[in-house]
Amino acid sequence: MYIKMKNNLSFIKFINNSLINLPTPLNIKLTWNMGSLLGICLIIQLISGLFLAFRYSPDINLAFKSINLIMNESWNGFLIRNIHANGASLFFLFIYIHIGRGIYYKSFLFKNTWIIGTLILLLLMMSAFMGYVLPWGQMSFWGSTVITNLMSSIPYFGNSLVQWIWGGFSINNPTLTRFFCIHFIMPFIILMLTMIHIFFLHFTGSNNPLGINSNMMKIKFNPFFTIKDLMGLMVMIIMLIFMIIWLPYFFMDSDNFILANPMVTPVHIQPEWYFLFAYSILRAIPSKLGGVIALMMSIMILFFIPFMNLSKMKSNQFYYLSKLNFWFFFINNILLTWIGMQPVEMPFIFIGQMLSIFYFMFYFLSPIIDLLTDKIIN
């Protein structure tokens, strides 16, 4: 009994030190709210996805019908499905802001936290891709066909790898079943990695806009920052309600409301908006293998950022060239997303190639600019 009470007290003390009395830098901004909002998004996606799984049938003859059944016949099924679909868009919006803030204020210097976060991003993108296949509409089928076929560019065993993923010689019932299983399990893996991410964050402490040691200027997380987080949560809920009530299909492709037909190819195959920047980089390379490598490196390069830093300063707050470089990178990503929506023809091909070059140039120029600025200042 004594041991049980001691364990309970230890757990309460851990929660108290992690969420209530956690020492937090006094000067962090609203962009630091994204972490808590991402946690809420993950919980929303887990709960809504669980309810959708009760009525979904991972069979190519039933999947599309089961989605219609959820939308039209199930009690509040349309609401749950729209929350899940639009919640994914909010999830990626917040995680891109979260990563952008980390790059701008050099949070990547906390290497363990950053690497786990990047791994979470990769798993999230994988889970979102597999979830996009599940409705079994035209864009789901052809989008998954295009993306999985990219692996055939791998020398020697590429074709065998594609057939192994498909479970046959084309995307069929085994593919849909295994995609559904992986999509269902993946969020729980992400949840576990999120806990590790938070553990490392609490172990090292949060970064702050000035990039200085803030041990002498920290305050308790509660109530000062819980109020900020609650305000961010209210804004997120308002955004989600607006999306699911007024614009529930704004981010969905109209072709995905048509049953998948292997004999009819859509005029313009494109992924969801949050993958368009990477899709533009893929299209920019004429070589299939080169495009796949560029696509993978557009995300994998985030793993190497902590080891590329050459500056002594731990924030870009006072580095005006670095700030200019970052906002140029931000605009470049928006343009890459726009290019991904356009047909594969001139001048969009050329523009996409230039933007792809600028995308990778940012990661290599940033440490050089910081180093030069350091030398000028010192």
Side-chain angles (χ1 to χ4, degrees):
M1 186 70 179
Y2 172 74
I3 295 173
K4 187 176 181 181
M5 288 179 64
K6 188 176 180 181
N7 289 338
N8 289 337
L9 287 172
S10 299
F11 179 73
I12 293 170
K13 185 178 179 182
F14 172 77
I15 295 297
N16 183 66
N17 293 336
S18 300
L19 298 177
I20 298 174
N21 292 332
L22 177 70
T24 308
L26 178 65
N27 60 334
I28 60 175
K29 299 182 179 180
L30 286 175
T31 46
W32 267 258
N33 277 34
M34 295 303 114
S36 61
L37 295 183
L38 286 168
I40 299 296
C41 281
L42 180 58
I43 293 169
I44 290 173
Q45 292 302 96
L46 276 168
I47 295 172
S48 60
L50 181 63
F51 281 105
L52 289 174
F54 292 156
R55 301 300 296 268
Y56 179 76
S57 300
D59 184 282
I60 59 171
N61 298 312
L62 299 173
F64 191 80
K65 293 178 182 178
S66 67
I67 295 295
N68 285 331
L69 181 67
I70 290 169
M71 292 293 291
N72 300 316
E73 302 295 334
S74 300
W75 183 75
N76 282 333
F78 74 97
L79 187 64
I80 297 172
R81 200 248 170 152
N82 287 337
I83 287 173
H84 195 71
N86 290 292
S89 292
L90 277 183
F91 209 148
F92 276 95
L93 174 65
F94 293 147
I95 203 167
Y96 288 153
I97 295 173
H98 193 59
I99 293 168
R101 188 266 302 166
I103 294 173
Y104 186 83
Y105 292 112
K106 295 194 175 181
S107 297
F108 53 77
L109 294 176
F110 300 109
K111 295 183 177 64
N112 292 330
T113 310
W114 181 265
I115 289 171
I116 294 296
T118 306
L119 184 58
I120 291 171
L121 173 65
L122 283 173
L123 294 180
L124 180 63
M125 296 179 89
M126 187 187 303
S127 180
F129 164 69
M130 293 183 179
Y132 190 56
V133 178
L134 300 183
W136 206 244
Q138 274 286 74
M139 199 55 67
S140 295
F141 176 83
W142 287 102
S144 59
T145 301
V146 169
I147 298 302
T148 52
N149 253 315
L150 294 175
M151 296 183 186
S152 64
S153 63
I154 300 174
Y156 303 113
F157 58 89
N159 290 324
S160 300
L161 179 62
V162 172
Q163 290 178 20
W164 177 73
I165 292 170
W166 286 348
F169 296 101
S170 65
I171 289 184
N172 216 297
N173 215 50
T175 319
L176 184 62
T177 304
R178 61 187 59 180
F179 276 23
F180 171 68
C181 293
I182 296 172
H183 180 70
F184 187 86
I185 294 170
M186 195 70 73
F188 295 99
I189 300 173
I190 293 172
L191 181 61
M192 180 190 69
L193 288 173
T194 302
M195 292 178 182
I196 299 172
H197 184 69
I198 293 171
F199 169 78
F200 280 124
L201 177 66
H202 288 181
F203 183 75
T204 58
S206 295
N207 190 20
N208 63 85
L210 297 179
I212 60 176
N213 190 327
S214 58
N215 289 335
M216 301 299 294
M217 44 183 286
K218 286 186 177 181
I219 55 177
K220 291 182 180 180
F221 185 83
N222 184 68
F224 303 102
F225 294 105
T226 48
I227 293 173
K228 276 188 175 182
D229 282 351
L230 286 173
M231 186 191 72
L233 175 61
M234 285 173 16
V235 172
M236 186 198 80
I237 295 299
I238 290 169
M239 289 173 64
L240 187 59
I241 291 172
F242 177 80
M243 289 167 66
I244 63 178
I245 292 178
W246 279 280
L247 299 168
Y249 309 118
F250 182 77
F251 294 109
M252 298 186 191
D253 197 294
S254 57
D255 282 330
N256 223 31
F257 292 89
I258 304 170
L259 178 64
N261 186 352
M263 305 303 292
V264 179
T265 307
V267 176
H268 182 45
I269 300 173
Q270 67 181 51
E272 290 282 75
W273 71 267
Y274 37 78
F275 294 142
L276 286 173
F277 79 96
Y279 182 60
S280 298
I281 293 172
L282 169 70
R283 296 191 329 185
I285 311 297
S287 166
K288 188 175 182 180
L289 178 59
V292 172
I293 294 172
L295 172 67
M296 291 301 298
M297 285 307 299
S298 66
I299 306 299
M300 298 294 288
I301 197 169
L302 292 174
F303 281 110
F304 303 103
I305 290 181
F307 309 100
M308 296 166 64
N309 183 62
L310 301 175
S311 172
K312 297 177 182 178
M313 195 70 176
K314 295 182 178 179
S315 173
N316 286 331
Q317 184 74 3
F318 306 108
Y319 281 32
Y320 295 105
L321 283 177
S322 298
K323 289 168 72 172
L324 184 64
N325 187 38
F326 174 84
W327 289 113
F328 181 78
F329 174 70
F330 173 76
I331 295 170
N332 190 76
N333 277 330
I334 292 176
L335 292 175
L336 273 173
T337 301
W338 172 71
I339 285 293
M341 303 176 188
Q342 307 307 316
V344 188
E345 58 186 32
M346 295 298 289
F348 302 119
I349 296 174
F350 177 74
I351 296 173
Q353 289 171 342
M354 292 297 102
L355 293 174
S356 300
I357 292 171
F358 295 148
Y359 177 88
F360 288 105
M361 279 178 61
F362 166 78
Y363 294 103
F364 295 103
L365 285 177
S366 290
I368 297 172
I369 291 173
D370 290 349
L371 182 63
L372 290 175
T373 309
D374 270 344
K375 288 185 177 180
I376 292 170
I377 293 174
N378 298 326

